[in-house]
Amino acid sequence: MALAETLTRPPGGRAARKAGAIGIIANPVSARDIRRVIANATALQITDRANIVLRVLSSVKACGVSHVYMMPENGGIRHHVRRGIDRAENQGLDHFPKVEHLDYKISGTVDDTLRAARQMREMGVAAIVVLGGDGTHRAVVSACGDIPIAGISTGTNNAFPEHREPTITGLGVGLAVSGRVPPEIAFQPNKKLVVRVGDHQEIALVDVAVVTERFIGARALWRTETFRELFVTFADPEVIGMSAIAGLLQPVTRQDGHGLHVRLASEDDARLVLETPIAPGYLRRIGIRDYRAMPIRRKFRPEIGDGSLALDGERELAFNETDDVTIELVANAFRTVNVTACMHYAAQHGLMRNNQNLNQHSSGGSS
Amino acid sequence: MKTATKKKSAPAAFPLDRAGLLKAYRTMRTIREFEERLHAEFAKGDIPGFVHLYAGEEAAGTGIMMHLQDKDRIASTHRGHGHCIAKGVDPKAMMAEIYGKASGSCRGKGGSMHIADLSKGMMGANGILGAGAPLACGAALAAKFRGDGAVGISFIGDGASNQGTFLESLNLAAVWNLPAIFVVENNGYAESTSRDYAVAVDSYVDRAAGFGLPGVTVDGLDFFTVYEAAGEIIKRAREGGGPALLECKMVRMYGHFEGDQQAYRGKGEVEDIRANKDCLKMFSERVIEAGIIARGELEAIDRECLAVIDEALAYAKAAPLPKPADLLNDVYVSY
Amino acid sequence: MARTLTMRQAINEALDQEMARDQNVILMGEDIAGGQGGDGELDAWGGPLGVTKGLYHKHPGRVLDTPLSESAFIGAAIGAAACGMRPVAELMFLDFMGVCFDQIFNQAAKFKYMFGGKAQTPIVIRAMVGAGFRAAAQHSQMLTPLFTHIPGLKVVCPSNAYDAKGLLIQSIRDNDPVIFCEHKNLYDSQADVPAESYAIPFGEANVVRDGGDCTIVAYGLMVGRAMEAAKQLSPKGPKGGVECEVIDLRTLSPIDWDTVIDSVERTGRLVCVDEANPRCSIASDVSAMVAQECFKALKGPIRMVTAPHTPVPFSPVLEDLYIPSAAAIAAAVTKTMAQ
């Protein structure tokens, strides 16, 4: 792409105006579980979530996205978003794309997320921006097929979505879906874990923990004495949650062609003991028996017969001796918007330069 | 310490042992049976006044009350039968009260909306929405003065959560760091008005946060979720960690009151609740599937609960009516 | 040993002595210590008019300043009372009952009856009442009739420092909810007050002046005005010729019907004085009861002297007109004597 052409194009210029619609799934009930009491986790308020949506809307609009579909919810996000959009319209400003909520009856459960993701896939949106924690992202990925997602962390553990100002996430998404950043740079593949209990199948984006509790209950994991095994897609020492255990043992990137399998033990039987932030502000000693790389497409079975599986930090599936339980790492499972790559590409190629506002002198000083 | 861990006692697979699980089931089934029976009897026209049924919400009341002792006090709502039973109030006396009989919990002077038993820590169902929250703060204050580790729990619906009393109480509990717990039973309806209309931000965690309290939202239909979350919140309050809020998302099987035609409900809503959102079914399936309790054991409890309610009803119907002199007594301790 | 104390001091002493006697007695209210959370002095106010001054340091942890949140703290006091405490909650101005009335009349007043006698709520709600403080319509009302109307509540309104101490001690020891009304224009009034603790039983009116010609029933600030009128009318007084019997009701619920009826049976005439508005007031209540019980004894029409049916005005010239005066009471006596 010629430099001159780049410089004369306003942000979200002609090509961007053709940008397809995107979807936004903002979960009103993430960051609401017991970790606000057993640990000291944040409880991001509804108005903050709505403000994040408004920030994303401004960003994608600036990149030429004219239409956004949102998951309907009754938590209060939509009302605050609507006020923001109405005010801009009343002022005659063109800050926001057209926002439309999908039309179905709200259940107030994860079904809303699954349904929104499915509908957005069927509509062929160019990307889905997700506001939630690891659990919300997992639900979206399980239903969105090959639609790329961009995560914004509004949950509790948030190992999966990267921590970033949502305005920038919105810009990255806008630049990606408008084609301003080439797809091979804009989107990246991710691994996932596929869990089967008999005929039932679930996925995890970050980790699967095998615990001895046989009930789902408050979902969160904090009783370390119940931990038995851990499988992770990637292991980042900079995150908290169950995957932090793996991250502090042997980091594995999201791109590496393997995951990690960690077997846990009581402190007495452990080969080493790891001080691990397993929830916000909640550091615990975790006994490690051993760990090894988890290859792609090999089926693992839990070593205990009765227990439950926690997916991305939340107990989801109970199992017993009679169940055939497998855990398997799958590569190239779904796509995410690589916001870092998009923004660096944008800087290198001057995608955000607006010729109309620059005098000739400064327009000459580009890379 | 080392020998203790060497024993390798397996960590609890369930938060309650068998006896505890059976007790929880019995409580929930007793409540359900009590309410189903009232539903049937009310239709016959024998019950004076009006009743508000707790059917469908049993897991929340039971999951919380399983952690409480008599010294812990609760301030209930107009929909209080379930709270009463879970807190240990005698179903016979309750039934007699609902029939306006002299042997009722309140000697026939309170009725369905005012059943109380202070000896069990039940500070009363309450006909005034939102009025229980300050009272629970008072119970928590008294517990704090006594230093007995007790807690005060206020139950409130999503409708009454818009009352100033509730919001003032959140602030007061935080200011005084009271062992007070606010349970929002979010069943989706304020009488006939949906929470989607009447609650600007349907997140009680947000409300709690506005007053500096931690808040937790749980699936109030899942006994285990409520039990586990309530356990942590109550423990925290007993340990001096201060007030907290627990939002239980739940459903109402019946109308606001008996006789409510429920035209405001969506098509198939009640059927869906019966089929897919029945907290008793969910509990049964979980413990049976886990192989801890056999279906037959639960069915035996069902029969026993049925007998308890049969007996309560017979007792209530046969119980003596208040005497004319009762009109005038118990207004004051002394006057 | 009696000393001369103001009513403010007498109330303070009653609270102090009861707190020392019973650890379950706690005080709650807005600014009852004052200065909480600031950089200055704690117990800076001791209540907006200094009534509770000094108790904060004397009884550590038991004098609780509250947020400006009457529903919550009055309700909490009621809840604590139902759980065995004996809270004395200060509502500051009785006019503020508007924001917490539910807790008083639907909760505290009804627990005993509604729960079949199995609850008791030993709470005292202290509040300032009455006009004359140039505090206008929302800080000056005499709302005693509203509370007296409600079964389950007791209502007390002392007229002097001696009664204030004894009645407050009784209120705290009483096992029913008590609305204790303190007339702000009486705080500086003085009387001989014994140093030791004493309780004045409820439902016992005080005949503060004997007389055979006309009964005047009053309470609170009006007792003094009635006495003034009686003096003016007495054969030795400037208007001469009528001996009035003046009854200070002291408690409005329970009320001492016997003393009132006995007196009217003797005098045959009744003037009811009430600083409250006239309709459904203590004055109309007493008048109705006497009309029913002493019809044959009455020699003339019962007369009521009350505030007019208006809010309390601000301008001093209007407010002074609003409050029943000794002259108005004397005129009422003269009028009933003339028939």
Side-chain angles (χ1 to χ4, degrees), chain A residues 228-299:
Chain A
R228 286 297 176 268
E229 283 178 274
L230 176 66
F231 302 87
V232 300
T233 55
F234 65 93
D236 183 347
E238 283 192 73
V239 303
I240 57 164
M242 293 303 286
S243 75
I245 298 170
L248 291 167
L249 287 171
Q250 184 181 312
V252 176
T253 70
R254 295 180 198 233
Q255 282 72 45
D256 286 340
H258 62 90
L260 203 70
H261 174 210
V262 184
R263 293 195 298 172
L264 307 166
S266 70
E267 280 192 39
D268 289 338
D269 299 333
R271 268 187 35 223
L272 64 99
V273 174
L274 203 61
E275 194 80 28
T276 314
I278 57 167
Y282 194 80
L283 282 99
R284 285 298 178 270
R285 294 164 64 85
I286 307 286
I288 308 293
R289 179 138 61 107
D290 55 26
Y291 56 94
R292 57 189 159 154
M294 181 186 193
I296 304 286
R297 286 285 172 201
R298 184 192 297 173
K299 288 194 167 93

Side-chain angles (χ1 to χ4, degrees), chain A residues 114-156:
Chain A
L114 295 170
R115 191 159 178 183
R118 247 188 328 267
Q119 281 197 15
M120 287 172 184
R121 182 183 68 191
E122 284 159 12
M123 297 163 87
V125 297
I128 300 174
V129 176
V130 183
L131 278 70
D134 290 340
T136 312
H137 286 81
R138 175 161 50 85
V140 173
V141 168
S142 71
C144 74
D146 60 353
I147 308 292
I149 68 164
I152 294 173
S153 168
T154 62
T156 306

Side-chain angles (χ1 to χ4, degrees), chain A residues 44-209:
Chain A
L44 194 71
Q45 298 206 4
I46 290 293
T47 39
D48 293 327
R49 296 175 204 221
N51 283 331
I52 288 173
V53 170
L54 287 168
R55 306 214 284 278
V56 170
L57 290 173
S58 306
S59 291
V60 298
K61 171 73 177 179
C63 296
V65 174
S66 60
H67 210 114
V68 172
Y69 295 99
M70 285 192 70
M71 176 180 83
E73 48 72 42
N74 284 331
I77 296 174
R78 67 191 299 174
H79 302 306
H80 191 76
V81 168
R82 175 51 53 201
R83 285 177 210 122
I85 293 171
D86 286 352
R87 177 171 179 241
E89 276 175 11
N90 293 340
Q91 289 175 305
L93 300 172
D94 192 22
H95 280 177
F96 297 111
K98 182 174 165 49
V99 173
E100 208 174 315
H101 284 87
L102 301 179
D103 184 21
Y104 57 80
K105 185 167 164 47
I106 298 158
S107 74
T109 68
V110 68
D111 291 343
D112 293 339
T113 301
L114 295 170
R115 191 159 178 183
R118 247 188 328 267
Q119 281 197 15
M120 287 172 184
R121 182 183 68 191
E122 284 159 12
M123 297 163 87
V125 297
I128 300 174
V129 176
V130 183
L131 278 70
D134 290 340
T136 312
H137 286 81
R138 175 161 50 85
V140 173
V141 168
S142 71
C144 74
D146 60 353
I147 308 292
I149 68 164
I152 294 173
S153 168
T154 62
T156 306
N157 272 4
N158 304 337
F160 182 76
E162 292 162 351
H163 293 252
R164 176 181 288 114
E165 161 54 37
T167 312
I168 304 303
T169 306
L171 284 176
V173 170
L175 291 166
V177 302
S178 64
R180 309 290 312 287
V181 177
E184 64 276 15
I185 292 168
F187 304 115
Q188 68 182 14
N190 292 270
K191 293 171 275 186
K192 72 178 177 188
L193 289 157
V194 175
V195 175
R196 291 186 188 85
V197 176
D199 299 335
H200 189 80
Q201 181 176 312
E202 294 273 355
I203 62 165
L205 308 190
V206 184
D207 53 55
V208 174

Side-chain angles (χ1 to χ4, degrees), chain A residues 32 46 74 214 218 223 268-269, chain B residues 5 13 206 217 228 286 290:
Chain A
R32 293 288 180 254
I46 290 293
N74 284 331
R214 293 172 64 192
R223 296 186 197 91
D268 289 338
D269 299 333
Chain B
T5 44
D206 274 22
T217 300
E228 201 174 22
R286 187 74 278 274

Side-chain angles (χ1 to χ4, degrees), chain B residues 130-131 133-135 137-138 164-172 176, chain C residues 28-32 48 64-79 88-105 107-108 123-128 138-139 147:
Chain B
L135 300 174
C137 286
T165 43
F166 172 63
L167 302 169
E168 286 189 31
S169 297
L170 291 175
N171 183 61
L172 187 70
W176 283 349
Chain C
M28 296 163 59
E30 294 158 4
D31 305 294
I32 58 169
L64 307 177
D65 273 313
T66 68
L68 297 187
S69 192
E70 287 86 1
S71 270
F73 88 77
I74 293 290
I78 290 163
V88 181
E90 182 176 313
L91 187 52
M92 202 178 300
F93 294 91
L94 197 60
D95 314 64
F96 298 170
M97 67 152 211
V99 290
C100 60
F101 203 27
D102 174 69
Q103 291 292 330
I104 300 170
F105 92 104
Q107 311 299 328
I123 183 183
V124 181
I125 297 174
R126 292 179 44 241
M128 285 187 269
Q138 297 169 344
H139 289 70
F147 295 94

Side-chain angles (χ1 to χ4, degrees), chain B residues 37-316:
Chain B
R37 192 65 64 89
L38 278 182
H39 174 71
E41 295 295 323
F42 191 88
K44 294 180 191 165
D46 292 344
I47 297 173
F50 37 99
V51 291
H52 308 83
L53 303 184
Y54 195 69
E57 312 187 4
E58 295 88 346
T62 307
I64 292 159
M65 249 67 92
M66 290 284 287
H67 295 283
L68 302 184
Q69 303 156 28
D70 288 351
K71 70 177 181 181
D72 299 311
R73 293 186 167 90
I74 65 162
S76 173
T77 68
H78 60 296
R79 201 174 298 290
H81 302 163
H83 302 145
C84 288
I85 292 173
K87 196 74 177 70
V89 182
D90 175 21
K92 273 163 70 175
M94 286 174 62
M95 194 67 91
E97 184 60 33
I98 290 165
Y99 274 81
K101 297 301 182 72
S103 55
S105 316
C106 306
R107 297 181 181 145
K109 305 274 263 293
S112 162
M113 260 191 295
H114 305 297
I115 299 176
D117 186 345
L118 279 96
S119 69
K120 295 284 179 194
M122 169 63 193
M123 295 176 77
N126 210 312
I128 305 297
L129 300 180
L135 300 174
C137 286
L141 180 68
K144 200 171 175 178
F145 267 101
R146 275 195 298 269
D148 61 4
V151 297
I153 299 189
S154 162
F155 287 87
I156 198 154
D158 49 292
S161 73
N162 292 323
Q163 293 278 16
T165 43
F166 172 63
L167 302 169
E168 286 189 31
S169 297
L170 291 175
N171 183 61
L172 187 70
V175 167
W176 283 349
N177 195 34
L178 298 175
I181 292 154
F182 301 90
V183 177
V184 179
E185 294 185 320
N186 188 345
N187 68 15
Y189 288 102
E191 304 191 354
S192 76
T193 303
S194 166
R195 68 174 164 232
D196 300 338
Y197 172 83
V199 186
V201 169
D202 187 28
S203 166
Y204 295 91
V205 175
D206 274 22
R207 294 211 180 174
F211 297 96
L213 275 61
V216 173
T217 300
V218 296
D219 175 1
L221 300 178
D222 180 357
F223 169 83
F224 295 103
T225 308
V226 176
Y227 179 82
E228 201 174 22
E232 294 298 327
I233 286 173
I234 292 165
K235 181 164 167 279
R236 177 177 180 275
R238 290 199 203 286
E239 292 167 351
L245 180 146
L246 176 66
E247 177 192 6
C248 299
K249 294 216 176 219
M250 56 217 290
V251 295
R252 204 177 71 195
M253 263 183 186
Y254 291 107
H256 168 61
F257 53 82
E258 279 312 276
D260 177 1
Q261 296 304 312
Q262 304 186 67
Y264 48 84
R265 295 251 207 191
K267 212 174 165 197
E269 194 178 315
V270 176
E271 293 75 10
D272 176 54
I273 289 170
R274 289 267 174 198
N276 305 313
K277 294 172 180 166
D278 182 341
C279 60
L280 267 155
K281 274 190 202 163
M282 288 163 71
F283 180 93
S284 308
E285 280 164 17
R286 187 74 278 274
V287 293
I288 292 168
E289 192 180 86
I292 296 179
I293 294 170
R295 187 173 296 279
E297 290 177 278
L298 298 182
E299 286 168 354
I301 293 177
D302 291 350
R303 286 190 295 276
E304 286 164 28
C305 291
L306 197 69
V308 165
I309 302 306
D310 280 343
E311 193 193 342
L313 193 66
Y315 172 81

Side-chain angles (χ1 to χ4, degrees), chain A residues 209-359:
Chain A
V210 180
V211 301
T212 57
E213 286 147 317
R214 293 172 64 192
F215 66 105
I216 304 308
R219 295 182 182 269
L221 297 178
W222 72 93
R223 296 186 197 91
T224 56
E225 71 276 12
T226 67
F227 299 176
R228 286 297 176 268
E229 283 178 274
L230 176 66
F231 302 87
V232 300
T233 55
F234 65 93
D236 183 347
E238 283 192 73
V239 303
I240 57 164
M242 293 303 286
S243 75
I245 298 170
L248 291 167
L249 287 171
Q250 184 181 312
V252 176
T253 70
R254 295 180 198 233
Q255 282 72 45
D256 286 340
H258 62 90
L260 203 70
H261 174 210
V262 184
R263 293 195 298 172
L264 307 166
S266 70
E267 280 192 39
D268 289 338
D269 299 333
R271 268 187 35 223
L272 64 99
V273 174
L274 203 61
E275 194 80 28
T276 314
I278 57 167
Y282 194 80
L283 282 99
R284 285 298 178 270
R285 294 164 64 85
I286 307 286
I288 308 293
R289 179 138 61 107
D290 55 26
Y291 56 94
R292 57 189 159 154
M294 181 186 193
I296 304 286
R297 286 285 172 201
R298 184 192 297 173
K299 288 194 167 93
F300 285 74
R301 289 185 164 75
E303 294 183 346
I304 55 173
D306 295 322
S308 54
L309 299 173
L311 310 180
D312 297 329
E314 295 183 349
R315 280 168 277 161
E316 284 286 341
L317 296 168
F319 62 89
N320 62 30
E321 299 279 3
T322 62
D323 295 315
D324 181 30
V325 182
T326 62
I327 299 141
E328 181 183 357
L329 184 66
V330 177
N332 294 320
F334 64 100
R335 291 189 299 159
T336 47
V337 176
N338 188 339
V339 177
T340 302
C342 288
M343 296 314 291
H344 282 275
Y345 185 91
Q348 280 161 10
H349 296 80
L351 299 188
M352 297 304 290
R353 295 182 186 219
N354 186 335
N355 212 21
Q356 289 157 359
N357 295 336
L358 298 173
N359 60 35

